[in-house]
Amino acid sequence: MKDTDAISKRAMGTVDPVFAPSALKISEQLLGHLDFDALTKSLSGLEGKVGDNPKTAAIILAGGQGERFGREGGKQLVEIAGKPVLTWSAEAFDAVADIGLIVVVCPEDRQAEYLSHAIDPFPFVTPVVLAPAGSIRQESALSGLEFVPEDFEFVVLHDGARPLISPDLIEHTINTLKGNFDSDGAVVAHPSIDTLKVVENDVIVGTPDRTVFWNAQTPQVFRAGIYRRAHAAALSDGFVGTDDSSLIERLGGKVLVVEGKRDNIKLTVPEDYLMLAAAVHSILREDAK
């Protein structure tokens, strides 16, 4: 058995990564066995670009404290192949020509740290500005939106802790919305593959058809005008949504779905780091063919 397989099986079989953050240490050992030179070439060989008249601004949400991740400093600055997770996410947007501005939303007291570790050392072409995070995700999104000038027609939201997002998928999602004039947004999602149960008081009361259920991811792109109105309405009504799309849905807006990939992983707990390692390993195998 290869060393990486042994490490992976030990981590999965003996460690509860939610309650035992030492799983992160094991996953770093696993990542250490990967060919990071090849990884950097295959995943981060991105060229920043800005078109002549970009219409879209990107808001990257990096405001979480990462309590569930079990590591001091949170998950946004954890490195993969020598670069923070946040940098991987931001670089994907930097490589999309229609993105004319990147707004990184992060804790106000850590802005200098985020700049010095995740932004300044890397050759971004797209302008990058920082906005202060709020106490909840919705407040952070609104804070980022306030840094977006009125002349941008579209705004795209992305979780900074989803480092494997690709420029192609970002561009495809934006173009899907642009090509549907009667739509207000487009959300990357993946069809549910698990059987779902409806539970009341610890008793199963139904098994819905899972073919109508999708797992929402990011990026999520919206027409800037309706997105601003949706935030204003939510603030006025005291509504808190579980994602950005829900703010528009409640107003009767039409939001399209764009099928994404299951490896568009969001780092939340240490076990996600292991899944990220597996996704990276898969990409390396595909590149080697």
Side-chain angles (χ1 to χ4, degrees), residues 186-209:
V187 169
V188 172
H190 194 275
S192 177
I193 62 173
D194 296 320
T195 297
L196 303 175
K197 298 292 184 181
V198 179
V199 177
E200 295 180 1
N201 297 321
D202 297 328
V203 177
I204 295 174
V205 297
T207 304
D209 179 7

Side-chain angles (χ1 to χ4, degrees), residues 44-67:
S44 68
L46 303 178
E47 180 180 349
K49 60 184 73 170
V50 178
D52 293 333
N53 188 26
K55 296 295 186 182
T56 307
I59 299 174
I60 299 180
L61 299 167
Q65 297 296 330
E67 294 91 347

Side-chain angles (χ1 to χ4, degrees), residues 48 50 56 64 84 88 97 106-107 127 129 144 149 166 206 225 229 254 274 282 286:
V50 178
T56 307
W88 288 87
C106 64
V129 299
S166 70
R229 291 196 297 274
K254 181 179 179 180
L274 287 170
S282 176
E286 289 297 318

Side-chain angles (χ1 to χ4, degrees), residues 15-129:
V15 178
D16 183 336
V18 176
F19 297 104
S22 60
L24 181 59
K25 182 177 181 180
I26 295 174
S27 61
E28 285 178 329
Q29 295 174 19
L30 174 61
L31 287 173
H33 287 271
L34 298 177
D35 184 350
F36 275 140
D37 289 336
L39 170 62
T40 302
K41 181 179 180 181
S42 63
L43 292 183
S44 68
L46 303 178
E47 180 180 349
K49 60 184 73 170
V50 178
D52 293 333
N53 188 26
K55 296 295 186 182
T56 307
I59 299 174
I60 299 180
L61 299 167
Q65 297 296 330
E67 294 91 347
R68 286 177 290 173
F69 196 60
R71 179 157 174 163
E72 184 179 355
K75 58 195 174 185
Q76 305 289 349
L77 299 183
V78 171
E79 293 190 353
I80 301 173
K83 290 190 299 188
V85 164
L86 174 59
T87 306
W88 288 87
S89 298
E91 283 185 336
F93 287 86
D94 186 43
V96 177
D98 194 52
I99 301 292
L101 175 69
I102 297 173
V103 181
V104 175
V105 185
C106 64
E108 190 168 16
D109 61 349
R110 297 185 64 192
Q111 287 187 350
E113 180 185 7
Y114 273 55
L115 276 175
S116 64
H117 285 81
I119 303 300
D120 290 344
F122 304 97
F124 285 96
V125 173
T126 309
V128 179
V129 299

Side-chain angles (χ1 to χ4, degrees), residues 195-257:
T195 297
L196 303 175
K197 298 292 184 181
V198 179
V199 177
E200 295 180 1
N201 297 321
D202 297 328
V203 177
I204 295 174
V205 297
T207 304
D209 179 7
R210 71 182 179 192
T211 62
V212 301
F213 290 92
W214 289 60
N215 297 314
Q217 302 176 340
T218 63
Q220 299 187 358
V221 58
F222 308 101
R223 299 188 188 278
I226 183 63
Y227 186 59
R228 292 182 193 278
R229 291 196 297 274
H231 265 288
L235 192 61
S236 175
D237 299 340
F239 174 79
V240 177
T242 55
D243 71 348
D244 299 282
S245 178
S246 64
L247 304 187
I248 292 177
E249 294 163 27
R250 68 184 290 265
L251 299 183
K254 181 179 179 180
V255 181
L256 305 172
V257 67

